[in-house]
Amino acid sequence: MKIGCHGLVWTGLFDAAGIRHSVNKTKEAGFDLIEFPLMDPFAFDVEAAKSALKDYDLGATGSLGLSAEADISSEDPDVVRTGELLLNRALDVVAEVGGTDLCGVIYCGMKKYLEPVSSQGLHNSMAVIGRVSDRAADLGVNVSVEVVNRYESNILNTARQALKYVQELGRANLGVHLDTYHMNIEESDMFSPVLNTAEALRYVHIGESHRGYLGTGNVDFDTFFKALGHVGYDGPVVFESFSSAVIAPDVAGMLGIWRNLWDNSEELGAHANAYIRDKFTAVNTIALH
Amino acid sequence: MKIGCHGLVWTGLFDAAGIRHSVNKTKEAGFDLIEFPLMDPFAFDVEAAKSALKDYDLGATGSLGLSAEADISSEDPDVVRTGELLLNRALDVVAEVGGTDLCGVIYCGMKKYLEPVSSQGLHNSMAVIGRVSDRAADLGVNVSVEVVNRYESNILNTARQALKYVQELGRANLGVHLDTYHMNIEESDMFSPVLNTAEALRYVHIGESHRGYLGTGNVDFDTFFKALGHVGYDGPVVFESFSSAVIAPDVAGMLGIWRNLWDNSEELGAHANAYIRDKFTAVNTIALH
Amino acid sequence: MKIGCHGLVWTGLFDAAGIRHSVNKTKEAGFDLIEFPLMDPFAFDVEAAKSALKDYDLGATGSLGLSAEADISSEDPDVVRTGELLLNRALDVVAEVGGTDLCGVIYCGMKKYLEPVSSQGLHNSMAVIGRVSDRAADLGVNVSVEVVNRYESNILNTARQALKYVQELGRANLGVHLDTYHMNIEESDMFSPVLNTAEALRYVHIGESHRGYLGTGNVDFDTFFKALGHVGYDGPVVFESFSSAVIAPDVAGMLGIWRNLWDNSEELGAHANAYIRDKFTAVNTIALH
Amino acid sequence: MKIGCHGLVWTGLFDAAGIRHSVNKTKEAGFDLIEFPLMDPFAFDVEAAKSALKDYDLGATGSLGLSAEADISSEDPDVVRTGELLLNRALDVVAEVGGTDLCGVIYCGMKKYLEPVSSQGLHNSMAVIGRVSDRAADLGVNVSVEVVNRYESNILNTARQALKYVQELGRANLGVHLDTYHMNIEESDMFSPVLNTAEALRYVHIGESHRGYLGTGNVDFDTFFKALGHVGYDGPVVFESFSSAVIAPDVAGMLGIWRNLWDNSEELGAHANAYIRDKFTAVNTIALH
């Protein structure tokens, strides 16, 4: 199992210097991989990432949330095309830096919608994700659709919805991406979604209920990690946290990050890395009970 | 203690018939009071409400979330004035129907902001709420500011923020309104916010983490009710739930209600009424332990 | 599914009058069945029970914890024989009153052991339970072994231990009996034991962590009921609670009931009946999510 | 705050070699102090302890559970006298090794009682603990009475009972000792007992619901640590865990340790030390929220 950290824990700016800084810090905190934010994959400095990953011997994945202009669940073919091109470029970035996974809100805009998705919009979303998955298969990359709360998507808010979505597409490298922050809002509990998606579960985000330090909010992490142990999950497990102290202003606005939940990225990251690893150490002993 | 139910459990349309229907159903489900949604207080049929409340012997409160056009945390004086007029009318409606409380997201727009509140905006918000509270005091009505999650306000996301807000205004009839749905996202736990606001706590919303049946999500209700018992809270406790089966389309869009969590309002309401009362019955026995 | 109540909620004395009283009260509180304590099945007034069950139209089951003198996990053949005779009589009582299940700590003494069970003792226990199960099959009665905490058995403290025990015996009418009070002490969580025993789960006890009102302690009931819903359990679900206000002194001593957790059996029982049924009502809506 | 480890995590035998081994291992695992088991304080090798503590630069406390022969809640004056002599010697041991606290089930036998304490027994218990506390004050040692579950005491099963006990005695150096393992069984929740005892809380045991790895059972640790943070507790916090792999047979029998919950003391201890420290690191950030 690979334990990772989202790049936005370290910086809000992902130019060459930001990339190197975040890789360095992710490694120092003890993680195995970094998840690069690829909101704008065309501007991402692949060479900077490749060299930093190599220098610090770190793995990588990539994630993004589509903007309204690139929303593949739109009914507007131009917008959908923009989204597909962006996803393809994000996929290339992941492959070029030697990454393993593309995930996040890649199937619709990551925004507060004001109405439900239309059937044409859903059709568009699935058609693009199907093609992107096929392309990813050729590149040896896994694709997973992140289940997020009602304020960040109007399509996939629960694990069962995501399971249905990926099952209908039926690609071996396409799976479900669960995030504890969102599960705490939308799921019935923290065990069933893992159980229900088991075979299809490809990616996991670990975030606290308010996106601060793990263990300082309301997410029932113990139950979640026991469920991961129960199904024998061994894919990426990536820490995510946002505070107004570090984040880029536009991302802060999109995610509603209005207050400081921490001000020390190093302590936060090291804590999260230890927290996640210690949970698995403990969960592994349950077999003895 | 008065146990109540939000009107939107029963109907999405609050014309005279909708008002009578929701009062009737709230009473039938066993509640003591109904919370009327007063998004548009100018259109609210006070006489219909008065007669229904009298016929069914039910208490009442009123709540609302300000729209962007009436956002008192705006920097635009006209928008702020629009908001104050709307709040004053909502207050009158509460008083006219014999209600006891005005609450909700009355201190800013209930919407996904894209940037933090400005200091002028916060100043405007507090100035209006101060005046509204004074006016409410003359009418014998309590006012409380609802602490909501980051996607519905950029001002009051935690109990401590709300406590500071109301303490600075220092009005005896102005207090904090906590909602378990939002606490599950923003607070560190379900006990401290009650403890921290104790004296200032005036109003309570009971909602599940996904806004469905109580006990089918992730809210730690047991801890919350024990905390209410610990501080001896005896104000209104009002159930709230939203499903795409009942809600008005515009409210659904604003709150992000994309799926059906229930389809039987009667069963849902009766369940919630019993759930809340049974919690208090149980909590009261802790004194014996 | 049948929701039931343990007889000791109502009285500590199970003579004819106690039997009738407990049956009456169990019915009044809304339950479907009563679980009779059969510590001394030879003295149990079958006719009184039959007539009360008929008069009040109530179902029945029976349970017991073996005393040291009838401990079938003993190495002393006389003690084991005493235990088997007692279990057979208890089985007859269940069958004679028209009951469906015999359960409890029927596989060893219900007491604080000072050393682990010996292999001979375990062999004796399994041999007797095998024969009792066969005899029960002829009578149309289910037998289940209750998983209890370390202070009440040195054989079956976890669901997995019990599963192994019943699987080795391989009788269709022999299953596992889980109790939330004990699970809260011995299991890793409240979901896995249900999942792990699923097919073998025959009987469920609902008790709070301190054996008082449901919801006033530390048992994570929501997770447990969600797990029951997940596996589609539809066997008996029986409430158990003990307070020094009602219980017989010798049982109190054996179970360590040193304080009053409640003093009103009627309120307690009605609360528990509503609590359990309301949990299932809620859990059933999860299918909609 | 001092984070400590109970000696029985490392060995079941507390001769000179066992003492040195456990001190060494406690230090290696990262703890600040060791809690010595002083069941037989007359046999405890003070010099071995002093030299080991000095060599490894570790703090110390001492604890015990009285046997039936030394039960100061007995009605037999000889038994009570035996108990008082034993407690005095245990106190001397603590003082002689430079320890700070004497705690545990020092106010009655640590055993499964079969009947409630008598009023004479309670009187005897309090009289002795009063004198022991006074003697401890002269030696600069804190004394605390451990709240344990119904199977290990018939006097102090809840924090409120313990608070009353110590308040009636009114000694400044006498306080309450809470243990999460026992709280999970007897208390209404994990927050209130800390809140209720706050000023009187002198000692804390951290144990999982089944006494295994922290985070693999049902104890709601997050709530407990948040409560410690809320009241600003800064006394000793000591990890306790028992497995049949390490424990002495007689202690295993008394505590009902029938199965292996772990087999690697080093991993267990290091995990617990990190777990406890990481909880406080996280809880400290709540002030920022």
Side-chain angles (χ1 to χ4, degrees):
Chain A
M1 193 178 305
K2 300 284 190 191
I3 311 301
C5 186
H6 194 283
L8 280 170
V9 164
W10 309 108
T11 177
L13 187 61
F14 275 78
D15 56 7
I19 287 171
R20 175 158 281 265
H21 175 71
S22 62
V23 169
N24 179 5
K25 288 298 181 183
T26 297
K27 183 69 179 188
E28 273 183 15
F31 293 100
D32 303 317
L33 66 83
I34 186 170
E35 180 181 314
F36 287 122
L38 301 177
M39 311 303 254
D40 183 0
F42 301 102
F44 191 81
D45 189 334
V46 168
E47 291 312 313
K50 280 173 70 174
S51 99
L53 292 170
K54 187 178 169 210
D55 291 353
Y56 292 105
D57 187 26
L58 199 72
T61 63
S63 70
L64 61 92
L66 292 169
S67 66
E69 293 71 33
D71 179 356
I72 62 170
S73 75
S74 168
E75 298 189 348
D76 179 340
D78 289 340
V79 172
V80 174
R81 196 170 313 119
T82 300
E84 184 163 1
L85 289 173
L86 189 148
L87 289 174
N88 283 337
R89 178 60 202 142
L91 194 53
D92 288 341
V93 169
V94 170
E96 289 166 13
V97 304
T100 52
D101 292 80
L102 176 65
C103 58
V105 187
I106 56 179
Y107 53 91
C108 70
M110 183 168 78
K111 63 167 195 175
K112 174 65 182 61
Y113 283 88
L114 292 173
E115 27 186 61
V117 68
S118 67
S119 58
Q120 179 63 46
L122 181 57
H123 174 84
N124 292 345
S125 168
M126 295 184 73
V128 173
I129 292 296
R131 287 193 295 270
V132 168
S133 299
D134 291 339
R135 203 163 165 281
D138 294 338
L139 295 166
V141 171
N142 284 318
V143 175
S144 48
V145 289
E146 184 174 10
V147 186
V148 295
N149 72 55
R150 58 193 65 194
Y151 305 102
E152 300 190 11
S153 167
N154 60 355
I155 299 186
L156 301 183
N157 298 147
T158 69
R160 291 195 302 202
Q161 292 173 329
L163 185 64
K164 183 161 175 285
Y165 185 104
V166 305
Q167 282 177 339
E168 287 185 15
L169 285 170
R171 265 73 170 185
N173 69 322
L174 173 64
V176 175
H177 170 184
L178 292 180
D179 180 318
T180 57
Y181 167 75
H182 299 291
M183 292 170 69
N184 181 55
I185 300 174
E186 300 292 353
E187 303 287 351
S188 63
D189 64 283
M190 302 300 282
F191 204 110
S192 312
V194 174
L195 211 57
N196 291 337
T197 56
E199 294 302 305
L201 188 57
R202 287 287 183 291
Y203 207 87
V204 167
H205 268 174
I206 300 296
E208 190 41 287
S209 54
H210 45 43
R211 296 195 176 281
Y213 270 65
L214 301 180
T216 66
N218 290 298
V219 170
D220 179 4
F221 284 114
D222 282 351
T223 297
F224 182 70
F225 281 99
K226 287 167 189 170
L228 290 183
H230 189 90
V231 304
Y233 175 77
D234 68 354
V237 178
V238 177
F239 172 61
E240 227 183 18
S241 180
F242 305 109
S243 174
S244 54
V246 164
I247 205 164
D250 58 334
V251 180
M254 188 165 63
L255 297 176
I257 310 302
W258 311 127
R259 67 194 202 272
N260 236 346
L261 286 155
W262 44 265
D263 47 22
N264 183 334
S265 296
E266 281 82 1
E267 188 194 80
L268 172 87
H271 179 271
N273 177 60
Y275 186 97
I276 294 170
R277 294 185 192 276
D278 288 349
K279 288 289 183 203
F280 284 112
T281 297
V283 162
N284 286 339
T285 69
I286 292 176
L288 283 178
H289 293 192
Chain B
M1 193 179 304
K2 300 286 190 191
I3 311 301
C5 185
H6 194 282
L8 280 170
V9 165
W10 310 107
T11 177
L13 187 61
F14 275 78
D15 56 6
I19 288 171
R20 175 158 283 261
H21 175 71
S22 63
V23 169
N24 179 4
K25 288 298 181 182
T26 297
K27 183 70 180 188
E28 273 183 14
F31 293 101
D32 303 317
L33 65 84
I34 186 170
E35 179 181 316
F36 287 123
L38 301 177
M39 311 304 254
D40 182 1
F42 301 102
F44 191 80
D45 188 334
V46 167
E47 290 312 312
K50 280 173 70 173
S51 98
L53 291 170
K54 186 177 169 210
D55 291 353
Y56 292 104
D57 187 25
L58 199 73
T61 63
S63 70
L64 61 92
L66 292 169
S67 67
E69 293 71 35
D71 179 355
I72 62 170
S73 75
S74 167
E75 297 189 348
D76 178 339
D78 289 341
V79 173
V80 174
R81 196 171 312 118
T82 299
E84 183 162 3
L85 289 173
L86 189 149
L87 290 174
N88 283 337
R89 179 57 201 144
L91 194 54
D92 288 342
V93 169
V94 171
E96 289 166 13
V97 303
T100 52
D101 293 79
L102 177 65
C103 59
V105 188
I106 57 179
Y107 54 90
C108 69
M110 183 168 78
K111 64 167 194 175
K112 174 64 183 62
Y113 283 87
L114 291 174
E115 31 186 55
V117 68
S118 67
S119 59
Q120 179 64 47
L122 181 56
H123 174 83
N124 292 345
S125 168
M126 296 183 71
V128 173
I129 291 297
R131 287 193 296 270
V132 168
S133 299
D134 291 340
R135 203 163 165 281
D138 295 338
L139 295 165
V141 171
N142 285 318
V143 175
S144 47
V145 288
E146 185 175 9
V147 185
V148 295
N149 71 56
R150 60 193 64 194
Y151 305 101
E152 300 189 12
S153 167
N154 60 355
I155 299 186
L156 300 184
N157 299 146
T158 69
R160 291 195 303 203
Q161 291 173 329
L163 185 64
K164 182 161 176 285
Y165 184 105
V166 305
Q167 282 178 339
E168 287 184 16
L169 285 170
R171 265 70 172 186
N173 69 324
L174 173 64
V176 175
H177 170 184
L178 293 180
D179 180 317
T180 57
Y181 166 75
H182 299 290
M183 292 170 70
N184 181 56
I185 301 174
E186 301 291 353
E187 303 286 352
S188 63
D189 65 282
M190 302 300 284
F191 204 109
S192 312
V194 175
L195 211 57
N196 291 338
T197 55
E199 294 302 304
L201 188 58
R202 286 287 183 291
Y203 207 86
V204 167
H205 268 173
I206 300 295
E208 191 40 285
S209 54
H210 45 44
R211 296 196 175 282
Y213 270 66
L214 301 180
T216 66
N218 290 299
V219 169
D220 179 4
F221 284 114
D222 283 351
T223 297
F224 181 70
F225 281 99
K226 286 167 189 171
L228 291 183
H230 189 90
V231 304
Y233 175 76
D234 68 354
V237 177
V238 177
F239 172 61
E240 227 183 17
S241 179
F242 305 108
S243 174
S244 54
V246 165
I247 205 164
D250 59 333
V251 180
M254 187 165 64
L255 296 176
I257 310 302
W258 311 126
R259 66 194 202 272
N260 237 346
L261 286 154
W262 45 265
D263 47 21
N264 183 335
S265 295
E266 282 81 2
E267 189 194 80
L268 172 87
H271 179 271
N273 178 59
Y275 187 97
I276 295 169
R277 293 186 193 277
D278 288 349
K279 289 288 183 203
F280 284 112
T281 297
V283 162
N284 286 340
T285 68
I286 293 176
L288 282 177
H289 294 193
Chain C
M1 194 179 304
K2 301 285 190 190
I3 311 301
C5 186
H6 194 283
L8 281 169
V9 164
W10 309 108
T11 177
L13 188 62
F14 275 78
D15 56 6
I19 288 171
R20 176 159 280 264
H21 175 72
S22 63
V23 169
N24 179 5
K25 288 298 182 183
T26 297
K27 183 70 180 190
E28 273 183 14
F31 293 101
D32 303 316
L33 65 83
I34 185 169
E35 180 181 314
F36 287 123
L38 299 177
M39 311 304 254
D40 183 1
F42 302 102
F44 191 80
D45 189 334
V46 167
E47 291 311 314
K50 282 174 69 173
S51 100
L53 291 170
K54 188 179 167 207
D55 292 354
Y56 292 105
D57 187 26
L58 199 72
T61 63
S63 70
L64 62 92
L66 292 169
S67 68
E69 293 72 33
D71 179 355
I72 63 170
S73 75
S74 168
E75 297 189 349
D76 179 339
D78 288 342
V79 172
V80 175
R81 197 170 312 119
T82 300
E84 184 163 2
L85 289 172
L86 189 148
L87 290 174
N88 283 337
R89 179 58 202 143
L91 194 54
D92 289 342
V93 168
V94 170
E96 289 167 13
V97 304
T100 52
D101 293 80
L102 177 65
C103 59
V105 187
I106 57 178
Y107 53 90
C108 70
M110 184 168 77
K111 62 168 196 176
K112 174 64 182 62
Y113 283 87
L114 291 173
E115 28 187 59
V117 67
S118 66
S119 59
Q120 179 63 47
L122 181 57
H123 174 83
N124 292 344
S125 168
M126 295 183 73
V128 172
I129 291 297
R131 287 193 295 271
V132 168
S133 298
D134 291 339
R135 202 162 165 282
D138 294 339
L139 295 165
V141 171
N142 285 319
V143 175
S144 49
V145 289
E146 185 175 10
V147 185
V148 295
N149 72 56
R150 60 193 65 195
Y151 305 102
E152 300 190 12
S153 168
N154 59 355
I155 299 186
L156 301 184
N157 298 147
T158 68
R160 290 196 301 201
Q161 292 173 329
L163 185 64
K164 183 162 176 283
Y165 184 105
V166 305
Q167 281 177 339
E168 287 184 15
L169 285 170
R171 265 72 171 185
N173 70 323
L174 174 64
V176 174
H177 170 184
L178 293 181
D179 180 318
T180 58
Y181 166 75
H182 298 292
M183 291 169 70
N184 181 56
I185 301 175
E186 301 292 352
E187 303 288 351
S188 62
D189 65 283
M190 302 300 282
F191 204 109
S192 313
V194 174
L195 211 56
N196 292 337
T197 57
E199 293 302 304
L201 188 58
R202 287 287 184 290
Y203 207 87
V204 167
H205 268 173
I206 299 295
E208 191 39 287
S209 54
H210 45 44
R211 294 194 176 284
Y213 269 65
L214 301 179
T216 66
N218 290 298
V219 170
D220 179 4
F221 284 114
D222 282 352
T223 297
F224 182 70
F225 281 98
K226 286 167 189 170
L228 291 183
H230 189 90
V231 303
Y233 175 76
D234 68 353
V237 178
V238 177
F239 172 60
E240 228 183 17
S241 179
F242 304 108
S243 173
S244 54
V246 164
I247 205 164
D250 58 334
V251 180
M254 188 165 62
L255 296 177
I257 310 301
W258 311 126
R259 67 194 203 272
N260 237 346
L261 286 155
W262 45 265
D263 47 22
N264 183 334
S265 296
E266 281 82 0
E267 187 193 81
L268 172 86
H271 179 271
N273 177 59
Y275 186 97
I276 295 169
R277 294 185 192 278
D278 288 349
K279 289 287 184 204
F280 284 111
T281 297
V283 163
N284 286 339
T285 68
I286 293 176
L288 283 178
H289 294 193
Chain D
M1 193 180 306
K2 300 285 191 191
I3 311 301
C5 186
H6 194 282
L8 280 169
V9 164
W10 309 107
T11 177
L13 187 63
F14 275 78
D15 55 7
I19 288 171
R20 175 158 282 262
H21 175 71
S22 63
V23 169
N24 180 3
K25 288 297 181 183
T26 297
K27 183 69 181 188
E28 273 182 13
F31 293 101
D32 303 317
L33 65 84
I34 186 170
E35 179 180 314
F36 287 123
L38 300 177
M39 310 304 253
D40 183 1
F42 301 103
F44 191 81
D45 189 334
V46 167
E47 291 312 313
K50 281 173 68 173
S51 99
L53 292 170
K54 188 177 168 210
D55 292 353
Y56 293 103
D57 186 26
L58 199 73
T61 63
S63 70
L64 62 91
L66 292 169
S67 67
E69 294 70 35
D71 179 355
I72 63 171
S73 76
S74 167
E75 297 189 347
D76 179 340
D78 289 341
V79 172
V80 174
R81 196 170 312 118
T82 300
E84 184 163 2
L85 290 172
L86 189 148
L87 290 174
N88 283 337
R89 179 58 203 143
L91 194 54
D92 289 341
V93 168
V94 171
E96 289 166 13
V97 304
T100 52
D101 293 80
L102 177 65
C103 60
V105 188
I106 57 178
Y107 54 90
C108 71
M110 183 167 77
K111 62 168 196 176
K112 174 64 183 61
Y113 283 88
L114 292 174
E115 29 186 57
V117 68
S118 67
S119 59
Q120 180 63 48
L122 182 56
H123 175 83
N124 292 345
S125 168
M126 295 184 73
V128 172
I129 291 297
R131 287 193 295 272
V132 167
S133 299
D134 291 339
R135 202 162 166 281
D138 295 338
L139 295 166
V141 171
N142 284 320
V143 175
S144 48
V145 289
E146 185 175 8
V147 185
V148 294
N149 72 55
R150 60 193 64 195
Y151 305 102
E152 300 189 12
S153 167
N154 60 356
I155 299 187
L156 301 184
N157 298 146
T158 67
R160 291 195 302 202
Q161 291 173 329
L163 185 64
K164 183 162 176 283
Y165 184 104
V166 304
Q167 282 177 339
E168 286 183 17
L169 285 170
R171 265 71 171 187
N173 69 323
L174 174 65
V176 175
H177 170 184
L178 292 181
D179 181 318
T180 58
Y181 167 75
H182 298 291
M183 292 171 70
N184 181 55
I185 301 174
E186 301 291 353
E187 304 287 351
S188 62
D189 65 281
M190 302 300 284
F191 204 110
S192 312
V194 174
L195 211 56
N196 292 337
T197 56
E199 293 302 304
L201 188 58
R202 287 285 183 291
Y203 207 88
V204 167
H205 268 173
I206 299 296
E208 189 42 284
S209 54
H210 45 44
R211 295 194 175 285
Y213 270 66
L214 301 180
T216 66
N218 291 298
V219 169
D220 179 4
F221 284 114
D222 282 352
T223 297
F224 182 69
F225 281 99
K226 287 167 189 170
L228 291 183
H230 189 91
V231 304
Y233 175 76
D234 68 353
V237 178
V238 177
F239 172 60
E240 226 182 18
S241 179
F242 305 109
S243 174
S244 53
V246 165
I247 206 165
D250 59 333
V251 180
M254 187 164 64
L255 297 177
I257 309 302
W258 311 126
R259 67 193 201 273
N260 237 346
L261 286 155
W262 43 266
D263 47 22
N264 183 334
S265 296
E266 282 81 2
E267 188 194 80
L268 172 87
H271 179 271
N273 178 60
Y275 186 97
I276 295 169
R277 294 186 192 276
D278 288 348
K279 289 288 183 203
F280 284 112
T281 297
V283 162
N284 286 340
T285 68
I286 293 176
L288 283 178
H289 295 193

